[in-house]
């Protein structure tokens, strides 16, 4: 199994541009998450989803949008990129059927907004 | 607000046990303690979790105090590949509640 796959691995955006960070998982997990990590800092939760068609805001949702039309895919949309969105973005998934949380993470997308 | 307190950094000699402390004095009865680690530039990796009993798996042991206000992650024989940031997280046993990461402890293992 591939696990959690994120694309692209690197991207440079100009201020005001938009883009979508792709995330897909092949583990049939219901729960998916987007985190960002600024240099030297811990991970901050942006959005998460507990199943297809259901999304919820995390700690830092401003400037981002998400959708969850299928179990496998959870794309993250940046509409008007700003320098403050320069970060490494991690997607994760979990099967929380037992109520305990074991997250599987992707390898990350490094985004620079200039 | 952070629900856990961890030292910013720790050092350990290769082959020795690494004991990483975590304070979670406001933990609630239904909250689990989770440990993840992040090796440089990679996504975090699950290590272990527990509620009140000590737990052990192939990666580490988790010791939780009787009052559950603190815990210790033990890597019994640290190797250079264990150099990473270690995150201690508390989370209620409620499906759909996301994990919130703090800044963690940077463990440096040296030969």
């Amino acid at each position: 199994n591939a696990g959690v796959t994120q694309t692209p691995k690197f991207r440079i955006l100009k201020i005001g541009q938009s883009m979508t960070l792709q995330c897909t998982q092949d583990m049939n997990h219901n729960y998916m998450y987007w985190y960002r990590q600024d240099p030297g800092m811990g991970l901050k939760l942006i959005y998460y989803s507990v199943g297809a068609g259901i999304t919820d805001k995390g700690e830092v949702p401003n400037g981002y949008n998400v959708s969850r039309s299928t179990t496998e895919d959870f794309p993250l949309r940046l509409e008007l990129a700003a320098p403050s969105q320069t970060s490494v973005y991690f997607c994760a998934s979990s099967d929380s059927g037992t109520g305990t949380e074991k997250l599987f993470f992707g390898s990350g997308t490094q985004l620079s907004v200039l | 607000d952070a629900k856990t307190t961890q030292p910013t950094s720790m050092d350990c000699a290769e082959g020795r046990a690494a004991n990483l402390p975590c304070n979670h004095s406001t933990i609630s009865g239904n909250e689990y303690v989770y440990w993840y680690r992040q090796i440089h530039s990679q996504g975090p990796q699950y290590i272990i979790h527990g509620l009140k009993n000590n737990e052990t798996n192939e990666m580490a042991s988790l010791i939780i105090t009787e009052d559950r206000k603190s815990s210790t992650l033990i890597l019994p024989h640290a190797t250079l590949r264990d150099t990473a940031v270690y995150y201690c997280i508390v989370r209620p046993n409620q499906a759909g509640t996301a994990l919130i990461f703090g800044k963690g402890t940077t463990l440096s293992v040296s030969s």
Side-chain angles (χ1 to χ4, degrees):
Chain A
N1 286 344
V4 179
T5 302
Q6 293 183 235
T7 56
K9 292 189 182 299
F10 304 93
R11 183 73 185 268
I12 298 174
L13 284 181
K14 294 182 179 180
I15 296 172
Q17 286 185 321
S18 62
M19 76 164 292
T20 299
L21 282 68
Q22 301 292 344
C23 177
T24 187
Q25 52 93 7
D26 63 0
M27 297 173 283
N28 201 33
H29 285 168
N30 286 325
Y31 299 83
M32 297 188 74
Y33 308 82
W34 275 106
Y35 289 89
R36 60 174 286 173
Q37 185 174 34
D38 298 334
M41 305 296 287
L43 281 75
K44 295 288 188 183
L45 180 66
I46 305 172
Y47 271 97
Y48 65 101
S49 169
V50 301
I54 305 171
T55 62
D56 209 345
K57 296 178 180 180
E59 303 171 271
V60 290
N62 292 342
Y64 306 94
N65 282 301
V66 293
S67 60
R68 184 91 183 274
S69 57
T70 67
T71 299
E72 295 78 19
D73 300 309
F74 190 40
L76 178 71
R77 179 81 176 167
L78 284 71
E79 292 293 349
L80 293 171
S84 61
Q85 293 177 307
T86 294
S87 191
V88 180
Y89 292 82
F90 290 102
C91 178
S93 72
S94 71
D95 179 357
S96 289
T98 60
T100 57
E101 198 79 353
K102 181 176 179 178
L103 269 66
F104 293 84
F105 282 83
S107 58
T109 294
Q110 187 169 329
L111 176 66
S112 295
V113 182
L114 305 175
Chain B
D1 291 342
K3 301 187 70 173
T4 63
T5 303
Q6 299 178 251
T8 302
S9 62
M10 294 183 66
D11 297 317
C12 181
E14 189 177 23
R16 303 298 293 271
N19 297 284
L20 289 85
C22 180
N23 183 294
H24 32 79
S25 58
T26 61
I27 193 169
S28 301
N30 69 339
E31 288 184 315
Y32 279 74
V33 179
Y34 292 83
W35 283 84
Y36 281 75
R37 74 179 183 183
Q38 185 176 24
I39 297 172
H40 179 63
S41 76
Q42 298 180 19
Q45 175 190 25
Y46 167 85
I47 301 173
I48 199 167
H49 74 276
L51 183 62
K52 55 183 178 181
N53 297 322
N54 298 338
E55 303 287 346
T56 296
N57 63 20
E58 66 278 5
M59 291 183 68
S61 295
L62 174 61
I63 308 298
I64 302 174
T65 58
E66 191 169 346
D67 64 6
R68 301 210 323 122
K69 293 184 177 183
S70 66
S71 61
T72 301
L73 178 75
I74 300 173
L75 307 179
H77 304 287
T79 70
L80 298 178
R81 289 177 292 181
D82 291 322
T83 293
V85 178
Y86 288 77
Y87 298 98
C88 171
I89 305 163
V90 296
R91 176 190 172 273
N93 182 19
Q94 179 179 342
T97 305
L99 282 174
I100 304 298
F101 288 75
K103 294 185 179 181
T105 296
T106 298
L107 175 68
S108 299
V109 181
S110 56
S111 57

